[in-house]
Amino acid sequence: MVKRSMQWGIAAAAVSVALTGCAGGASGSTANADGVKIDYGVKDKELTIGVVSDLSGPFSAQGQSMVAGNQIYFNERNTGDKICGYTVKLDVQDHGYDVQKAQTAFNGMEPKVLAVTQLLGSPQIGALAPAMTNSETTTILSGWSSAGLASADQPNNAYYAVVGTTLPVAVIDGLSYLAQQGAIKDGNPIGHIHLTGDMGDNALKGSKAYAKKHNLKLTDIEVTGQEVDLTSQLAKLKRAGVKAVLVTAPPKTTGQLAAAMQAARMDLPILASAPAYSPTLVDASSPTKDFIERHLLATTPLVPFGDDTETSAKVAKEFDEGKKSGLIAGSAVANQEVNYGYAMSVVLGDALDAACKAGDLTRAGLHKALGTLDHVTTGVTVDLDYTDRSRTPSTKAYIVKPDGSAVGGGKLVTEVSSDEATTFQD
Amino acid sequence: MLETLLQGLSSSSIYAVLALGFVVIYKGTKVVNLAHGSVMLLGVYVISLLAPRLGFWPGAVIGILVGAAGAVVIQFMTNAVRSKDHLVMTIMTIGINVMIAAELTHEIGDATVFTGDPWGNRSLSIGGSSFPVSRLMALIVGSVLIGVIFAIFRFTQFGVKLRASAVDAETSSLLGISQRSVSIWSWVIGGGLATVGGIFLAAFPANGLDSGSATLAMSAIPAIIIGGMDSAGGAVLGGLIVGCGEAVARRLIPELAPVLGDSFASVVPFILMLAVLLVRPSGLFGSKVVQRV
Amino acid sequence: MSDLIWKRSGIALVAVLLLAVPFILENDMLGVAIVCLAYAVAAIGLTVLVGVGGQLSLAHGFFVAVGAYAYTVFGSPKGEHLFGFGLPPLIAAIGAVVVAAFAGLAFSPIARRLGGLYLGMASLALVFIADYVFQRVGALSGGSGGRMVPAFTVGGLQLSGFTKHLWIAGVDFGGMQRLWYLVLIVAVLSAVAALRIVRGRPGQALQLMRDNPAAAAAMGVNIPRAKSGVFVMSSAYAGLAGVLIALQAQTVVPHTFSMTLSLNLLVMIILGGLGSVQGAVVGAVVVNLLPAILDKLGTSGALAFIDPTGVRGMSGGLFSALVFGAAVVLVLIFEPLGLAGLFRRAVRRASITRAG
């Protein structure tokens, strides 16, 4: 019985081979009407860019806001100064934080897109790196871990771009700001609460480096995010007599940290890495709102949403309009993640413009063009330099102070640039 | 050391209340409610919506009732299984959990849910360490609940029916004890307890619940296993062992065995659970499942 | 007589379709199809454990992870920060299955002492402990960014990963396409082996042990040995599935093997029908295929209420979660034998009407 089916199967295969023949066909590049070389993602007057994000899983809120930012930017370009004369279409796919789904989504979109303007999720970033490199797809990452930088250890990251200062460098800038303000002095003990995994480990590198240089006694505590509360962790920090607490973990942990510090009457500065701060922490209903407004500072490459700087205000306005016109999902939240999505697309947009100018809008050409950009000004982030993909695109960070009355939950205090940040080696 | 023990006591109170909810449901129906965390989150979410307008206590009462109602709905679904196989019913709660969790994640998004409880961030000072008032309340409420449940089991008709059904369902129903009402009431109490546990879980020194908090209820599972799944007293003892074990581990491990890392403390309850099971396969106070083969 | 011809043609048709899959499906859906078959292997192991052996395990995803990581560690060269043994892929794969089986063996003392729900809860502990180990031992797991999986090369022929272009019948016959055939063969052989076990003496012994332990013991069944045995078998199947998953994904990250995977595997075997090997395969295909199809239809706008961007509707992921949760509840209420039970009933009804 098995043999009979095998015979059928082989016959079918042979027939299909015979019918369709051995058509070859490498996909080479061709040139468009303006003589610009093109390969993937271009069809008539349309240029397709992909988005692989989390829209239904644990990071769905961030993902949706980032997608809104992507949509705002490309809508701006489509209705104004078109990219290389093309109308950009976004192919948005949701992976729900599932690695398998992310791979399926990318495999499906790969032949149809020129580049990816957002890839969210560190497991997904790790899992898709070989595929991105193999297909030469320039991909803008969400996330500031140095694990996204290209290096000898991570050759598959060559086509990834990080939008902003990497976590360790931002931590260093933040610490130097605290030192500048006199909150910490050389020789002081400090604490760093960090999430298990890549994000936490990465930021810890920064605090360790700075601590070494300034003789700070660093107590680092790892959390899983599944803690009921942080009282025992805080007791350890209290025993060490820390003068400041760093936190690189989801905003929920930051909230628990503030609550625990309030309980223990520890009126110390809290320095939060960018992923650790969210405007929900200073929501009116939050019991720790006042404590956070008084003590917390975020060190981040992002400008708060709706800040009165030019681009942020513009993005906020377009966000509102986008919601009314149905461009943006009704459930998208207005916070700094929108600015983040916008910035990701500015970087890609600038690279596309440079590639167009150089006459080569193929995947390889785009990759090369991105590498020529040494000064990308998104208006909602620090300035970015992509000439060396193994280094952080910026060594500067913004210090943001939480403010419940601000639209984006925070106010920009200043931009920090420290020597320790510039000399930091991963 | 006092501080560590107080911390252990503090988290034990939460584990104990959550574990009680599991135990009541198991004792009444022999089903492990793997949707307990979602019921907890549902109840707390309702409170967070109502409390700002109605005040904490009315909001809490309604939330507890919603939790109980949700639990009853789950009971109806599990009861519809023709074979009445407890394993199958437990697996069904997994499916139900998937649905509730997905919907709640969609609703709550990345917001944090607060109950606006009246204990705020007040703490007592005990021997130089601070003990949150909300956890003290959890201990008191937990103890009162144990007492109440114990009294119900011992002295009321319902309690007698429950115990009889737990020992021998067939004979009990032959004697006219409605299995149906025993089941429903077990789930009602269990669901209400889930929400109560959630209120304390969200309170200070934690900072509210978010869409991922439903899995925190799973941390109570070592407590119920160690204590024995059908023992209310066991649930409390299990909660104590788990809470204090975790606190002690968190304090000592970084000094004794730093290579294990801080996150090892979160795994300690599960290791304790496996250790207890190897020695006592039904937990410390669970009724033994006799299988002499 | 005609029944036999129907059956044979049916099998032949299915075989033809299966062999032609890489020529029909594009890379993305082909990847999903491979995953379906890989998880089918895991599901078969689980359904034998839970359905035939009556032992609830919530840790099956852990054994899948063991297989995936063991293959990666055995097959990768020793790195600066990573464990590796540099073994040839075939040896690495076999080694991975053996390691997974051993892991099952290591857990079996607990499995032997415990019954029913207590065993299920104990297996939960495994999941949490494993999670900690994978996160902690970066040299093993490569941290949350994961590590690369060595391609499966046998006798100079590369069967997974990125390969040079090879055009057959208009299709770029790359790693994914070749992997399909490997996975297909493995899945078929696993299913056949499992059917042999279930229908044969071991299966009958297990069923007796599940339904009436006293009678089983009286018949001479060594209960502890049987419990261990079925645990080892199901872990080996899970490990094998892990190897296949790793080959398809080309990178292993701890996140793939979270608690959600164990729960999904349970959903697969329930939908398919507890204890049915064919059901496990069908369940695996449905659970892995449906969300992908929904998403694909949703983005193309074919389904009004599905929209990943959330503008027009809910995401495919959320909808699938709701559907599967509801499906589990409905199946357990109305047809505890799952899709396999439904199929059997339909076939019986068809043959009755034809006879009558």
PDB file of all heavy atoms in Angstrom, chain A residues 19-35:
ATOM      1  N   LEU A  19       6.333  19.436 -16.790  1.00  0.00           N
ATOM      2  CA  LEU A  19       5.431  20.505 -17.211  1.00  0.00           C
ATOM      3  C   LEU A  19       6.046  21.883 -17.073  1.00  0.00           C
ATOM      4  O   LEU A  19       5.942  22.724 -17.953  1.00  0.00           O
ATOM      5  CB  LEU A  19       4.134  20.468 -16.377  1.00  0.00           C
ATOM      6  CG  LEU A  19       3.092  19.441 -16.794  1.00  0.00           C
ATOM      7  CD1 LEU A  19       1.900  19.519 -15.868  1.00  0.00           C
ATOM      8  CD2 LEU A  19       2.660  19.678 -18.226  1.00  0.00           C
ATOM      9  N   THR A  20       6.663  22.121 -15.934  1.00  0.00           N
ATOM     10  CA  THR A  20       7.132  23.485 -15.708  1.00  0.00           C
ATOM     11  C   THR A  20       8.573  23.713 -16.139  1.00  0.00           C
ATOM     12  O   THR A  20       9.018  24.850 -16.221  1.00  0.00           O
ATOM     13  CB  THR A  20       7.007  23.849 -14.215  1.00  0.00           C
ATOM     14  OG1 THR A  20       7.454  22.756 -13.436  1.00  0.00           O
ATOM     15  CG2 THR A  20       5.561  24.142 -13.873  1.00  0.00           C
ATOM     16  N   GLY A  21       9.250  22.604 -16.401  1.00  0.00           N
ATOM     17  CA  GLY A  21      10.597  22.767 -16.918  1.00  0.00           C
ATOM     18  C   GLY A  21      11.541  23.310 -15.870  1.00  0.00           C
ATOM     19  O   GLY A  21      11.167  23.628 -14.757  1.00  0.00           O
ATOM     20  N   CYS A  22      12.768  23.385 -16.211  1.00  0.00           N
ATOM     21  CA  CYS A  22      13.762  23.884 -15.271  1.00  0.00           C
ATOM     22  C   CYS A  22      14.031  25.336 -15.567  1.00  0.00           C
ATOM     23  O   CYS A  22      15.140  25.709 -15.957  1.00  0.00           O
ATOM     24  CB  CYS A  22      15.050  23.077 -15.370  1.00  0.00           C
ATOM     25  SG  CYS A  22      14.840  21.395 -14.816  1.00  0.00           S
ATOM     26  N   ALA A  23      12.982  26.146 -15.403  1.00  0.00           N
ATOM     27  CA  ALA A  23      13.185  27.558 -15.676  1.00  0.00           C
ATOM     28  C   ALA A  23      14.161  28.145 -14.688  1.00  0.00           C
ATOM     29  O   ALA A  23      13.988  28.029 -13.496  1.00  0.00           O
ATOM     30  CB  ALA A  23      11.842  28.281 -15.602  1.00  0.00           C
ATOM     31  N   GLY A  24      15.175  28.757 -15.202  1.00  0.00           N
ATOM     32  CA  GLY A  24      16.122  29.406 -14.285  1.00  0.00           C
ATOM     33  C   GLY A  24      15.594  30.780 -13.983  1.00  0.00           C
ATOM     34  O   GLY A  24      14.493  31.125 -14.376  1.00  0.00           O
ATOM     35  N   GLY A  25      16.305  31.572 -13.348  1.00  0.00           N
ATOM     36  CA  GLY A  25      15.831  32.935 -13.108  1.00  0.00           C
ATOM     37  C   GLY A  25      16.427  33.515 -11.868  1.00  0.00           C
ATOM     38  O   GLY A  25      15.832  33.453 -10.807  1.00  0.00           O
ATOM     39  N   ALA A  26      17.595  34.054 -11.950  1.00  0.00           N
ATOM     40  CA  ALA A  26      18.103  34.797 -10.798  1.00  0.00           C
ATOM     41  C   ALA A  26      17.442  36.159 -10.847  1.00  0.00           C
ATOM     42  O   ALA A  26      17.090  36.639 -11.914  1.00  0.00           O
ATOM     43  CB  ALA A  26      19.609  34.946 -10.913  1.00  0.00           C
ATOM     44  N   SER A  27      17.238  36.752  -9.670  1.00  0.00           N
ATOM     45  CA  SER A  27      16.647  38.086  -9.717  1.00  0.00           C
ATOM     46  C   SER A  27      17.759  39.095  -9.712  1.00  0.00           C
ATOM     47  O   SER A  27      18.437  39.295  -8.720  1.00  0.00           O
ATOM     48  CB  SER A  27      15.730  38.299  -8.511  1.00  0.00           C
ATOM     49  OG  SER A  27      16.460  38.166  -7.335  1.00  0.00           O
ATOM     50  N   GLY A  28      17.993  39.654 -10.830  1.00  0.00           N
ATOM     51  CA  GLY A  28      19.022  40.693 -10.876  1.00  0.00           C
ATOM     52  C   GLY A  28      18.338  42.016 -10.721  1.00  0.00           C
ATOM     53  O   GLY A  28      17.134  42.089 -10.491  1.00  0.00           O
ATOM     54  N   SER A  29      19.060  43.084 -10.791  1.00  0.00           N
ATOM     55  CA  SER A  29      18.408  44.377 -10.659  1.00  0.00           C
ATOM     56  C   SER A  29      18.163  44.953 -12.029  1.00  0.00           C
ATOM     57  O   SER A  29      18.834  44.604 -13.008  1.00  0.00           O
ATOM     58  CB  SER A  29      19.296  45.305  -9.836  1.00  0.00           C
ATOM     59  OG  SER A  29      20.507  45.495 -10.515  1.00  0.00           O
ATOM     60  N   THR A  30      17.167  45.786 -12.073  1.00  0.00           N
ATOM     61  CA  THR A  30      16.900  46.506 -13.318  1.00  0.00           C
ATOM     62  C   THR A  30      16.936  47.984 -12.980  1.00  0.00           C
ATOM     63  O   THR A  30      17.165  48.366 -11.846  1.00  0.00           O
ATOM     64  CB  THR A  30      15.512  46.154 -13.864  1.00  0.00           C
ATOM     65  OG1 THR A  30      14.567  46.327 -12.800  1.00  0.00           O
ATOM     66  CG2 THR A  30      15.451  44.718 -14.342  1.00  0.00           C
ATOM     67  N   ALA A  31      16.654  48.820 -13.919  1.00  0.00           N
ATOM     68  CA  ALA A  31      16.655  50.253 -13.647  1.00  0.00           C
ATOM     69  C   ALA A  31      15.264  50.800 -13.895  1.00  0.00           C
ATOM     70  O   ALA A  31      14.523  50.299 -14.756  1.00  0.00           O
ATOM     71  CB  ALA A  31      17.673  50.952 -14.529  1.00  0.00           C
ATOM     72  N   ASN A  32      14.879  51.813 -13.116  1.00  0.00           N
ATOM     73  CA  ASN A  32      13.554  52.386 -13.324  1.00  0.00           C
ATOM     74  C   ASN A  32      13.632  53.512 -14.355  1.00  0.00           C
ATOM     75  O   ASN A  32      14.651  53.739 -14.996  1.00  0.00           O
ATOM     76  CB  ASN A  32      12.945  52.872 -12.000  1.00  0.00           C
ATOM     77  CG  ASN A  32      13.665  54.107 -11.467  1.00  0.00           C
ATOM     78  OD1 ASN A  32      14.569  54.655 -12.093  1.00  0.00           O
ATOM     79  ND2 ASN A  32      13.254  54.535 -10.292  1.00  0.00           N
ATOM     80  N   ALA A  33      12.506  54.200 -14.496  1.00  0.00           N
ATOM     81  CA  ALA A  33      12.403  55.205 -15.552  1.00  0.00           C
ATOM     82  C   ALA A  33      13.434  56.315 -15.401  1.00  0.00           C
ATOM     83  O   ALA A  33      13.864  56.910 -16.382  1.00  0.00           O
ATOM     84  CB  ALA A  33      11.000  55.802 -15.569  1.00  0.00           C
ATOM     85  N   ASP A  34      13.864  56.573 -14.159  1.00  0.00           N
ATOM     86  CA  ASP A  34      14.842  57.651 -13.968  1.00  0.00           C
ATOM     87  C   ASP A  34      16.271  57.132 -13.973  1.00  0.00           C
ATOM     88  O   ASP A  34      17.194  57.853 -13.616  1.00  0.00           O
ATOM     89  CB  ASP A  34      14.577  58.357 -12.619  1.00  0.00           C
ATOM     90  CG  ASP A  34      13.181  58.941 -12.573  1.00  0.00           C
ATOM     91  OD1 ASP A  34      12.762  59.521 -13.582  1.00  0.00           O
ATOM     92  OD2 ASP A  34      12.533  58.791 -11.523  1.00  0.00           O
ATOM     93  N   GLY A  35      16.426  55.875 -14.326  1.00  0.00           N
ATOM     94  CA  GLY A  35      17.771  55.318 -14.392  1.00  0.00           C
ATOM     95  C   GLY A  35      18.313  54.872 -13.055  1.00  0.00           C
ATOM     96  O   GLY A  35      19.491  54.538 -12.941  1.00  0.00           O
TER      97      GLY A  35
END
